Each structure stands twice: as structure tokens, then as C-alpha cells.
Amino acid sequence: MKRAGNLFEKIYEFDNIHRAYLKARRCKRYRGEILRYTERLEENLINIQNHLIWQSYQPGEYRFFIVTEPKERQIQALPFNDRVVQHALNNVIEPVLERAFIYHSYACRKGKGAHIASEHLSRWLYDLHVQHGEAVYCLKADISKYFHSIDHDALKRIIRRKIKCKRTLWLIDKIIDHNGLGTHTGIPVGNLTSQVFANVYLHELDSYVKETLREHYYMRYMDDFVLLSHDKESLRRTLADIEGFLWETLKLRLNPKTYIFKVKQGVDFIGYRHWCTHKKVRKGSVKRIRKKIKRFIERYATGAIDFQTVNKSIQSWLGHIKHADTFNLRNKILSSIVLVRREN
């Protein structure tokens, strides 16, 4: 892949920075921080432009908070001004980096996503099991503490194989090094650029599996990946090769829960449990929505939330589960929702 140069001028173009502002405020435009920023919009955007031109930009301080669904994670959020800068950078470098990615890498990419990955996995299971009629095995793995384990020096070397513009690399390095932890490993989960950098980092694994190991039935969604084969022993050798490559090249380790199994017990991946003929929603996901509905009913009864808030959340979850075989589950969930206001 030819290295890309002359990118920095595109990053600090005013139109690009304004487009970055519009992306950064999407679905959040009425929050106090963003309303205050918008009151002096032109001044703020010109300020970003000047700091980039003179390479005097310094990222702000992170705000730390915890999210508990689908699992507990610590999120790091930068001030809105820094989020605009990251969108401006991402607008320019993402298309450059995207060109190298393999087809079956699905996270944080336009035209991809969990539902497309799930459809392809279902198709592979059908092709391998139903059409060939042999036992199929799956290697399912994920990286242990992935975002917190990314080595800054290794990440910078990988990016430099794709981008040669020195001023763009200066901005990228600035964002990588400012991780809020004061360490030379780890990138913040809440950053827009972290999604791109995380995909770039594990593209090294994608290339190794596809080009060196020559595995056909391989797909990855961020730090989760699966491999399918009729040969269990071959998957064991592949697993050993992957473990060695990840540690020697990227300083990463696999989660101890990594294992090889027959696909007839179902492949649990990206929110669904897949078989060759059907798929279901994870039990944990169903359990969470039942708890959430119970809380919504209680809060609606007290007047703490309105119908639109309840409906928006329920419709979002229904949109997720409709991609699986869930006709009876959807009816059961919907019939359990009874919204009644309590009298004071």
C-alpha cells in the first residue's frame, strides 16, 4: 500500500472543521456544553484551525465515568472542542486507512456492522455444515483488555506504514500519547479515533491470518474473532500460531475464555447465538431488557419519564432482536408491557 501524504491541509480546512463540528454534535446538540460552544461557533472553529496550522494544539482533560451495559467499562470523554478535532482528523485519515482493511472486518466501518457480520457467519455455518455434511468446529477468541493493552510505539509504527505526512503524524501522535493514564500503553475507549486506531492495530492480525495462515472462514468484530474449519487439529495449530503472533508483534494476549468447539452447540458472537439453520438472541440480552422494562414501567408510573422515552428504548431493542428468530420472544416482551400512571 502506497503511503499517503499531503493530508494536513485537508484536516485544517475550515469546511472540514465545520463538518467535524456537525458530526460531533449529532444527537447531542441541546446539551449545555454544546449549546455554549455553538454560541461562539465561528470563533471556536477558527481557534481550532489556528492551533492546527501552528501545531500548538493541546488536548483537554478527560472526564471518566462508568457504563454498565452490556458490561461494566470505564469510558473517557474529552471536552467537545477535542471531539471536533478528532472528527476533523478522522474525516481525512479514515478513508486512507480503510483501504487496507480486509472485507470481513466489521466493527466501526461504513456498510459493515454487527448485523452484516451475523448474516455472513450464518451463511458460512450453513455452507460448511449443511452443504458439506461434515462436523464443523469454531475457534472463538477475543483479546484480553484490548484497548488498555495497545502499545503506543507499535501503533505509531503501523500507522507510519500507511501515512507519511509529518504534520498529520504529529497530530496522531499527540492524540495517542494523551491517553489520560500517563502510560505508553492503552487508548481511551471513549475516543472516536480509538475506534480507527484499534481497527488499524488488529488489521495486522487480519493480514497474518488471511495471508500467512491462509484461513478462509475468519471474521473479526473489533477484538472478537471467529475461525471455522472441519479440522479441529488444524484450528489448534492456528490458535497456537495466533497466540505467538499477537504477543511477538503486538504485545497482546488472548482472553483465557478462548476455546474450540463444535458449532452444533451454537456460536455466540456479536450479540446472537448462531446455528447453521437459525439464530437466537443471547440470554443475557433478554435478561437485561426484562430488567430495563421493569424499571421503565416503574418510572413511567411515577411520572419520571414519558411514553416517548419508553417507546424509543423498546423500539431500539426490538430493532436488534428482529435480526434473529424471535417472533415469539417479541410478542412475549410486548405483551408484558403495561404502562399505567399512578394517582398522587
Side-chain angles (χ1 to χ4, degrees), residues 3 97 150-164 169 172-173 176-177 184 197 200-201 204 245-251:
R3 294 198 300 159
L97 300 173
I150 292 176
D151 182 81
H152 290 186
D153 290 337
L155 175 59
K156 291 175 184 178
R157 284 196 299 270
I158 292 167
I159 291 174
R160 278 162 171 74
R161 296 207 301 265
K162 306 172 191 306
I163 294 173
K164 64 181 179 180
L169 291 171
I172 290 172
D173 290 352
I176 291 173
D177 292 334
H184 294 290
F197 296 156
V200 169
Y201 203 68
E204 301 300 296
F245 173 84
L246 284 173
W247 179 246
E248 292 168 12
T249 307
L250 302 174
K251 303 304 177 188

Side-chain angles (χ1 to χ4, degrees), residues 43-56:
E43 177 185 340
N44 286 324
L45 299 187
I46 290 174
N47 186 51
I48 287 177
Q49 186 180 48
N50 287 334
H51 278 301
L52 292 178
I53 290 171
W54 295 104
Q55 292 182 247
S56 59

Side-chain angles (χ1 to χ4, degrees), residues 103-136:
Y103 182 85
H104 293 294
S105 167
Y106 290 94
C108 307
R109 297 179 64 192
K110 294 176 183 176
K112 300 291 184 177
H115 296 144
I116 303 297
S118 176
E119 289 173 10
H120 278 283
L121 179 56
S122 294
R123 196 175 306 153
W124 284 356
L125 290 171
Y126 179 84
D127 289 345
L128 284 168
H129 188 73
V130 175
Q131 293 186 0
H132 296 282
E134 301 176 37
V136 182

Side-chain angles (χ1 to χ4, degrees), residues 111-217:
K112 300 291 184 177
H115 296 144
I116 303 297
S118 176
E119 289 173 10
H120 278 283
L121 179 56
S122 294
R123 196 175 306 153
W124 284 356
L125 290 171
Y126 179 84
D127 289 345
L128 284 168
H129 188 73
V130 175
Q131 293 186 0
H132 296 282
E134 301 176 37
V136 182
Y137 296 90
C138 175
L139 162 58
K140 183 178 183 297
D142 66 84
I143 310 298
S144 178
K145 300 177 181 177
Y146 177 48
F147 278 78
H148 295 293
S149 302
I150 292 176
D151 182 81
H152 290 186
D153 290 337
L155 175 59
K156 291 175 184 178
R157 284 196 299 270
I158 292 167
I159 291 174
R160 278 162 171 74
R161 296 207 301 265
K162 306 172 191 306
I163 294 173
K164 64 181 179 180
C165 176
K166 290 184 179 180
R167 290 189 293 171
T168 300
L169 291 171
W170 161 80
L171 180 57
I172 290 172
D173 290 352
K174 180 78 68 174
I175 292 171
I176 291 173
D177 292 334
H178 183 75
N179 65 354
L181 303 172
T183 63
H184 294 290
T185 58
I187 57 177
V189 175
N191 276 0
L192 171 72
T193 51
S194 292
Q195 300 171 3
V196 181
F197 296 156
N199 259 340
V200 169
Y201 203 68
L202 272 187
H203 173 69
E204 301 300 296
L205 172 65
D206 299 340
S207 298
Y208 176 72
V209 172
K210 298 295 288 184
E211 296 170 13
T212 303
L213 300 182
R214 311 293 292 179
E215 294 289 346
H216 179 70
Y217 294 103

Side-chain angles (χ1 to χ4, degrees), residues 17-28:
I17 296 173
H18 184 258
R19 188 163 66 253
Y21 155 76
L22 295 175
K23 287 184 176 181
R25 77 169 192 179
R26 191 175 295 162
C27 301
K28 305 169 187 174

Side-chain angles (χ1 to χ4, degrees), residues 258-269:
T258 296
Y259 67 116
I260 298 169
F261 58 95
K262 282 188 176 181
V263 301
K264 67 179 183 180
Q265 65 189 72
V267 180
D268 191 344
F269 189 60

Side-chain angles (χ1 to χ4, degrees), residues 25-39:
R25 77 169 192 179
R26 191 175 295 162
C27 301
K28 305 169 187 174
R29 60 190 301 180
Y30 297 113
R31 292 184 180 179
E33 179 189 17
I34 300 174
L35 288 173
R36 290 189 295 274
Y37 193 90
T38 304
E39 287 176 359

